[in-house]
Amino acid sequence: MSSTKTIGIIGGGQLGQMMAISAIYMGHKVIALDPAADCPASRVAEVIAAPYDDVDALRQLAVRCDVLTYEFENVDADGLDAVVKDGQLPQGTDLLRISQNRIFEKDFLSNKANVPVAPYKVVHSSSDLDGLDLSKNYVLKTATGGYDGHGQVVIRSEENLADACQLADTADCVLEEFVDFNLEISVIVSGNGTDVTVFPVQENIHRNNILSKTIVPARISDELSAQAQAMAVHIAKQLKLSGTLCVEMFATDDAIIVNEIAPRPHNSGHYSIEACDFSQFDTHILGVLGAPLPAIHLHAPAVMLNVLGQHMEKAQAYVRANPSAHLHLYGKLEAKPNRKMGHVTILTADVDSCELIAGDASS
Ligand code: AMP
C-alpha cells in the first residue's frame, strides 16, 4: 500500500490550508472543496470550487481521495453519509451532529462523557422561561447556527428576559447558568481511533466575541491544568476520536467546566505550529490516517495574537519591530473588519508585552 495518500478537505479556509501544509510535508496530496476557487487552501492544494452542500462535488471529492476530513463543523452530515465509502471519513458524522446542535452536545457532555457543564435546560419556546429565577444570571443559546456569540442572549434582568423570550420563540435553545469564570481555556486533543495525544492547556482572551489572544501554558494551577487535560482525553476516548478536537472550557477558582467542543483544529491551537514539536494540524492528519500519534512537548511558552482585517498594518509593523515573531497570513484577498487574516505567534512567557499595539489588546 502506498504511504502517499490523497486527502480531501471539506473547506478551504485557513484551517484547511494549514491542514494541507501539514499533509503535504508528510508526502500526501490534498484536494479541498470550497465555494471560492481562490480560497486560502488554493495556495497549497487543488480546489474543487463548489458549494459545500453540492452532493455531486462531494461525490467527486470522495471518488478522488483516499481519506476525507473537514475544517469546520457545519458540514451537511447526511450529504457526506450519502457519498463516503466505508472507512473513508474516519471522523464519522456522529461527532458532526453532536457539535452542530447544542442540545445534543450538552447531552453528550453531561450524560455520556460525564464531564461538568454549566447547569442547563432545553428551551423549546418562551413558555419554558416562565418563572425563571432572576436572582441568577443565564445565557440563552440557539441550539443550531450560533457562532462567536451570535444567537445568544445573556439574561441579567427582566429586559434581557424579554429579548430571550423572543429568541426562544424563533428557535430551539439551551438555557445555561452564567458561569462566573476566571479564565476561558481550551485543550486540543487528537486521536487515531485508538490512542489519543493531548496538547498543553491554552488560555483564551476574546474581544467582541472573537478570539484575540491565546497564552500557553494557561495561567491556572497545575492541578486545574491536569484536570482540564484529563477531561479532554476522556471526551476523546468516549468519542473514539480520529483527528483533532478542541474542548473549550471555563476555569473557576477550583473547577473546570466544559463549554463546547469543536471537532477540528481550532484557532486557539495555532501556537502549536511553532511552540510544540508537532502541531494540531500534524496530529490531525496523522490521526485521520490512523497513524501512531506522538506525545506532545511544548518547546517554549507562547502567545498567539489573531490578525483581523483591521490589524494588517499593525501586524506588519509588529513583525518588523519583533523579528522573532512568526507572522502567518492566510492569503485572503480582502481585509474586511473582524475577518481572520492571519496570526502572529511569539515564543515568550512575557505575555503582557505581546500586543499588536502596546497596552491595547483590542487594537
Ligand atoms: P459559545 O458560543 O458557547 O462559545 O459562547 C461564546 C462566549 O460566551 C464564550 O466564549 C464565553 O465568553 C461566553 N459564555 C458562553 N456560555 C457562558 C456561560 N454559561 N457563562 C458565562 N459565559 C458564557
Side-chain angles (χ1 to χ4, degrees), residues 150-178:
H150 296 273
Q152 295 192 10
V153 177
V154 177
I155 307 173
R156 299 181 197 275
S157 65
E158 288 287 348
E159 194 186 332
N160 302 150
L161 182 58
D163 293 340
C165 285
Q166 269 194 348
L167 184 64
D169 281 331
T170 59
D172 284 342
C173 293
V174 169
L175 179 75
E176 290 175 23
E177 278 187 23
F178 195 87

mmCIF file of all heavy atoms in Angstrom, residues 150-178:
data_model
loop_
_atom_site.group_PDB
_atom_site.id
_atom_site.type_symbol
_atom_site.label_atom_id
_atom_site.label_comp_id
_atom_site.label_asym_id
_atom_site.label_seq_id
_atom_site.Cartn_x
_atom_site.Cartn_y
_atom_site.Cartn_z
ATOM 1 N N HIS A 150 -23.079 34.972 18.351
ATOM 2 C CA HIS A 150 -24.347 35.204 17.651
ATOM 3 C C HIS A 150 -25.359 34.175 18.145
ATOM 4 O O HIS A 150 -25.000 33.069 18.493
ATOM 5 C CB HIS A 150 -24.184 35.049 16.132
ATOM 6 C CG HIS A 150 -23.263 36.063 15.529
ATOM 7 N ND1 HIS A 150 -23.688 37.296 15.129
ATOM 8 C CD2 HIS A 150 -21.941 36.021 15.301
ATOM 9 C CE1 HIS A 150 -22.650 37.983 14.673
ATOM 10 N NE2 HIS A 150 -21.577 37.230 14.760
ATOM 11 N N GLY A 151 -26.650 34.582 18.151
ATOM 12 C CA GLY A 151 -27.686 33.650 18.605
ATOM 13 C C GLY A 151 -27.622 33.408 20.101
ATOM 14 O O GLY A 151 -27.922 32.315 20.562
ATOM 15 N N GLN A 152 -27.191 34.423 20.872
ATOM 16 C CA GLN A 152 -27.100 34.273 22.335
ATOM 17 C C GLN A 152 -27.646 35.511 23.015
ATOM 18 O O GLN A 152 -27.447 36.626 22.531
ATOM 19 C CB GLN A 152 -25.637 34.118 22.775
ATOM 20 C CG GLN A 152 -25.009 32.863 22.257
ATOM 21 C CD GLN A 152 -23.686 32.566 22.921
ATOM 22 O OE1 GLN A 152 -23.310 33.196 23.892
ATOM 23 N NE2 GLN A 152 -22.988 31.586 22.399
ATOM 24 N N VAL A 153 -28.316 35.298 24.143
ATOM 25 C CA VAL A 153 -28.749 36.426 24.971
ATOM 26 C C VAL A 153 -28.296 36.147 26.403
ATOM 27 O O VAL A 153 -28.589 35.075 26.947
ATOM 28 C CB VAL A 153 -30.287 36.587 24.952
ATOM 29 C CG1 VAL A 153 -30.719 37.724 25.880
ATOM 30 C CG2 VAL A 153 -30.797 36.847 23.538
ATOM 31 N N VAL A 154 -27.582 37.083 26.996
ATOM 32 C CA VAL A 154 -27.227 36.974 28.410
ATOM 33 C C VAL A 154 -28.392 37.559 29.205
ATOM 34 O O VAL A 154 -28.878 38.653 28.892
ATOM 35 C CB VAL A 154 -25.921 37.749 28.718
ATOM 36 C CG1 VAL A 154 -25.603 37.693 30.212
ATOM 37 C CG2 VAL A 154 -24.761 37.171 27.904
ATOM 38 N N ILE A 155 -28.880 36.802 30.189
ATOM 39 C CA ILE A 155 -30.062 37.241 30.945
ATOM 40 C C ILE A 155 -29.619 37.653 32.353
ATOM 41 O O ILE A 155 -29.224 36.814 33.165
ATOM 42 C CB ILE A 155 -31.108 36.106 31.033
ATOM 43 C CG1 ILE A 155 -31.440 35.565 29.631
ATOM 44 C CG2 ILE A 155 -32.376 36.616 31.733
ATOM 45 C CD1 ILE A 155 -32.333 34.328 29.645
ATOM 46 N N ARG A 156 -29.692 38.968 32.598
ATOM 47 C CA ARG A 156 -29.363 39.502 33.939
ATOM 48 C C ARG A 156 -30.530 40.327 34.485
ATOM 49 O O ARG A 156 -30.454 40.820 35.593
ATOM 50 C CB ARG A 156 -28.152 40.447 33.857
ATOM 51 C CG ARG A 156 -26.869 39.813 33.354
ATOM 52 C CD ARG A 156 -25.758 40.886 33.353
ATOM 53 N NE ARG A 156 -24.636 40.484 32.538
ATOM 54 C CZ ARG A 156 -23.650 39.718 32.968
ATOM 55 N NH1 ARG A 156 -23.649 39.269 34.193
ATOM 56 N NH2 ARG A 156 -22.650 39.408 32.156
ATOM 57 N N SER A 157 -31.576 40.556 33.655
ATOM 58 C CA SER A 157 -32.657 41.458 34.057
ATOM 59 C C SER A 157 -33.936 41.070 33.330
ATOM 60 O O SER A 157 -33.912 40.258 32.394
ATOM 61 C CB SER A 157 -32.284 42.887 33.647
ATOM 62 O OG SER A 157 -32.224 42.936 32.217
ATOM 63 N N GLU A 158 -35.060 41.691 33.756
ATOM 64 C CA GLU A 158 -36.354 41.474 33.088
ATOM 65 C C GLU A 158 -36.252 41.844 31.607
ATOM 66 O O GLU A 158 -36.849 41.199 30.748
ATOM 67 C CB GLU A 158 -37.442 42.349 33.733
ATOM 68 C CG GLU A 158 -37.873 41.902 35.113
ATOM 69 C CD GLU A 158 -38.724 40.628 35.107
ATOM 70 O OE1 GLU A 158 -39.173 40.205 34.031
ATOM 71 O OE2 GLU A 158 -38.916 40.053 36.198
ATOM 72 N N GLU A 159 -35.500 42.916 31.339
ATOM 73 C CA GLU A 159 -35.393 43.400 29.957
ATOM 74 C C GLU A 159 -34.695 42.334 29.079
ATOM 75 O O GLU A 159 -35.135 42.018 27.982
ATOM 76 C CB GLU A 159 -34.595 44.696 29.962
ATOM 77 C CG GLU A 159 -34.697 45.480 28.676
ATOM 78 C CD GLU A 159 -33.749 46.680 28.712
ATOM 79 O OE1 GLU A 159 -33.453 47.197 29.811
ATOM 80 O OE2 GLU A 159 -33.301 47.074 27.621
ATOM 81 N N ASN A 160 -33.597 41.772 29.627
ATOM 82 C CA ASN A 160 -32.899 40.699 28.893
ATOM 83 C C ASN A 160 -33.826 39.511 28.694
ATOM 84 O O ASN A 160 -33.787 38.833 27.665
ATOM 85 C CB ASN A 160 -31.681 40.182 29.647
ATOM 86 C CG ASN A 160 -30.652 41.237 29.977
ATOM 87 O OD1 ASN A 160 -29.967 41.125 30.980
ATOM 88 N ND2 ASN A 160 -30.540 42.258 29.143
ATOM 89 N N LEU A 161 -34.657 39.263 29.719
ATOM 90 C CA LEU A 161 -35.553 38.103 29.644
ATOM 91 C C LEU A 161 -36.532 38.270 28.476
ATOM 92 O O LEU A 161 -36.829 37.305 27.768
ATOM 93 C CB LEU A 161 -36.302 37.938 30.971
ATOM 94 C CG LEU A 161 -37.241 36.733 31.067
ATOM 95 C CD1 LEU A 161 -36.494 35.422 30.828
ATOM 96 C CD2 LEU A 161 -37.927 36.690 32.441
ATOM 97 N N ALA A 162 -36.987 39.508 28.258
ATOM 98 C CA ALA A 162 -37.900 39.763 27.134
ATOM 99 C C ALA A 162 -37.198 39.439 25.811
ATOM 100 O O ALA A 162 -37.772 38.794 24.915
ATOM 101 C CB ALA A 162 -38.366 41.212 27.162
ATOM 102 N N ASP A 163 -35.925 39.833 25.688
ATOM 103 C CA ASP A 163 -35.160 39.510 24.463
ATOM 104 C C ASP A 163 -34.993 37.997 24.334
ATOM 105 O O ASP A 163 -35.083 37.423 23.244
ATOM 106 C CB ASP A 163 -33.763 40.145 24.520
ATOM 107 C CG ASP A 163 -33.833 41.657 24.466
ATOM 108 O OD1 ASP A 163 -34.869 42.183 24.023
ATOM 109 O OD2 ASP A 163 -32.854 42.302 24.908
ATOM 110 N N ALA A 164 -34.742 37.358 25.474
ATOM 111 C CA ALA A 164 -34.538 35.903 25.461
ATOM 112 C C ALA A 164 -35.825 35.198 25.025
ATOM 113 O O ALA A 164 -35.768 34.229 24.254
ATOM 114 C CB ALA A 164 -34.106 35.425 26.842
ATOM 115 N N CYS A 165 -36.980 35.712 25.489
ATOM 116 C CA CYS A 165 -38.259 35.087 25.113
ATOM 117 C C CYS A 165 -38.460 35.172 23.602
ATOM 118 O O CYS A 165 -38.921 34.229 22.960
ATOM 119 C CB CYS A 165 -39.424 35.769 25.834
ATOM 120 S SG CYS A 165 -39.496 35.283 27.570
ATOM 121 N N GLN A 166 -38.084 36.327 23.043
ATOM 122 C CA GLN A 166 -38.195 36.481 21.573
ATOM 123 C C GLN A 166 -37.346 35.436 20.860
ATOM 124 O O GLN A 166 -37.795 34.791 19.920
ATOM 125 C CB GLN A 166 -37.676 37.861 21.164
ATOM 126 C CG GLN A 166 -38.769 38.895 21.130
ATOM 127 C CD GLN A 166 -38.310 40.157 20.399
ATOM 128 O OE1 GLN A 166 -37.110 40.320 20.136
ATOM 129 N NE2 GLN A 166 -39.249 41.021 20.095
ATOM 130 N N LEU A 167 -36.110 35.282 21.340
ATOM 131 C CA LEU A 167 -35.206 34.301 20.710
ATOM 132 C C LEU A 167 -35.775 32.890 20.866
ATOM 133 O O LEU A 167 -35.780 32.097 19.913
ATOM 134 C CB LEU A 167 -33.811 34.395 21.352
ATOM 135 C CG LEU A 167 -32.723 33.516 20.745
ATOM 136 C CD1 LEU A 167 -32.436 33.922 19.297
ATOM 137 C CD2 LEU A 167 -31.420 33.615 21.551
ATOM 138 N N ALA A 168 -36.299 32.610 22.067
ATOM 139 C CA ALA A 168 -36.794 31.249 22.344
ATOM 140 C C ALA A 168 -37.994 30.895 21.473
ATOM 141 O O ALA A 168 -38.256 29.713 21.233
ATOM 142 C CB ALA A 168 -37.154 31.129 23.821
ATOM 143 N N ASP A 169 -38.723 31.929 21.006
ATOM 144 C CA ASP A 169 -39.880 31.640 20.146
ATOM 145 C C ASP A 169 -39.490 31.492 18.680
ATOM 146 O O ASP A 169 -40.330 31.181 17.838
ATOM 147 C CB ASP A 169 -40.955 32.727 20.318
ATOM 148 C CG ASP A 169 -41.751 32.500 21.604
ATOM 149 O OD1 ASP A 169 -41.886 31.322 22.028
ATOM 150 O OD2 ASP A 169 -42.208 33.490 22.200
ATOM 151 N N THR A 170 -38.204 31.743 18.356
ATOM 152 C CA THR A 170 -37.785 31.574 16.957
ATOM 153 C C THR A 170 -37.006 30.275 16.747
ATOM 154 O O THR A 170 -36.881 29.801 15.621
ATOM 155 C CB THR A 170 -36.872 32.729 16.491
ATOM 156 O OG1 THR A 170 -35.717 32.755 17.348
ATOM 157 C CG2 THR A 170 -37.576 34.062 16.537
ATOM 158 N N ALA A 171 -36.455 29.710 17.824
ATOM 159 C CA ALA A 171 -35.590 28.533 17.623
ATOM 160 C C ALA A 171 -35.490 27.725 18.916
ATOM 161 O O ALA A 171 -35.653 28.283 20.007
ATOM 162 C CB ALA A 171 -34.185 29.008 17.242
ATOM 163 N N ASP A 172 -35.213 26.433 18.798
ATOM 164 C CA ASP A 172 -34.898 25.631 19.986
ATOM 165 C C ASP A 172 -33.600 26.166 20.583
ATOM 166 O O ASP A 172 -32.668 26.520 19.841
ATOM 167 C CB ASP A 172 -34.699 24.161 19.617
ATOM 168 C CG ASP A 172 -36.031 23.473 19.351
ATOM 169 O OD1 ASP A 172 -37.071 24.008 19.764
ATOM 170 O OD2 ASP A 172 -36.010 22.404 18.711
ATOM 171 N N CYS A 173 -33.547 26.202 21.899
ATOM 172 C CA CYS A 173 -32.392 26.812 22.575
ATOM 173 C C CYS A 173 -31.953 25.966 23.764
ATOM 174 O O CYS A 173 -32.659 25.047 24.194
ATOM 175 C CB CYS A 173 -32.767 28.188 23.120
ATOM 176 S SG CYS A 173 -33.120 29.429 21.879
ATOM 177 N N VAL A 174 -30.788 26.331 24.281
ATOM 178 C CA VAL A 174 -30.315 25.793 25.554
ATOM 179 C C VAL A 174 -30.144 26.985 26.495
ATOM 180 O O VAL A 174 -29.553 28.003 26.109
ATOM 181 C CB VAL A 174 -28.961 25.065 25.361
ATOM 182 C CG1 VAL A 174 -28.331 24.745 26.700
ATOM 183 C CG2 VAL A 174 -29.142 23.801 24.548
ATOM 184 N N LEU A 175 -30.698 26.867 27.700
ATOM 185 C CA LEU A 175 -30.526 27.908 28.721
ATOM 186 C C LEU A 175 -29.474 27.413 29.705
ATOM 187 O O LEU A 175 -29.639 26.354 30.316
ATOM 188 C CB LEU A 175 -31.842 28.139 29.467
ATOM 189 C CG LEU A 175 -31.770 29.195 30.579
ATOM 190 C CD1 LEU A 175 -31.724 30.593 29.980
ATOM 191 C CD2 LEU A 175 -32.951 29.067 31.536
ATOM 192 N N GLU A 176 -28.380 28.171 29.820
ATOM 193 C CA GLU A 176 -27.302 27.773 30.741
ATOM 194 C C GLU A 176 -27.193 28.781 31.863
ATOM 195 O O GLU A 176 -27.361 29.982 31.635
ATOM 196 C CB GLU A 176 -25.942 27.827 30.025
ATOM 197 C CG GLU A 176 -25.730 26.795 28.992
ATOM 198 C CD GLU A 176 -24.402 27.046 28.273
ATOM 199 O OE1 GLU A 176 -23.485 27.714 28.815
ATOM 200 O OE2 GLU A 176 -24.313 26.572 27.140
ATOM 201 N N GLU A 177 -26.837 28.309 33.041
ATOM 202 C CA GLU A 177 -26.479 29.263 34.093
ATOM 203 C C GLU A 177 -25.187 29.962 33.690
ATOM 204 O O GLU A 177 -24.293 29.338 33.094
ATOM 205 C CB GLU A 177 -26.311 28.537 35.433
ATOM 206 C CG GLU A 177 -27.649 28.311 36.077
ATOM 207 C CD GLU A 177 -27.547 27.749 37.488
ATOM 208 O OE1 GLU A 177 -26.505 27.921 38.153
ATOM 209 O OE2 GLU A 177 -28.534 27.119 37.901
ATOM 210 N N PHE A 178 -25.112 31.232 34.013
ATOM 211 C CA PHE A 178 -23.908 32.009 33.709
ATOM 212 C C PHE A 178 -22.785 31.557 34.640
ATOM 213 O O PHE A 178 -22.964 31.482 35.851
ATOM 214 C CB PHE A 178 -24.196 33.503 33.903
ATOM 215 C CG PHE A 178 -23.166 34.387 33.286
ATOM 216 C CD1 PHE A 178 -23.253 34.766 31.954
ATOM 217 C CD2 PHE A 178 -22.080 34.824 34.036
ATOM 218 C CE1 PHE A 178 -22.294 35.582 31.383
ATOM 219 C CE2 PHE A 178 -21.111 35.637 33.467
ATOM 220 C CZ PHE A 178 -21.220 36.019 32.130
#
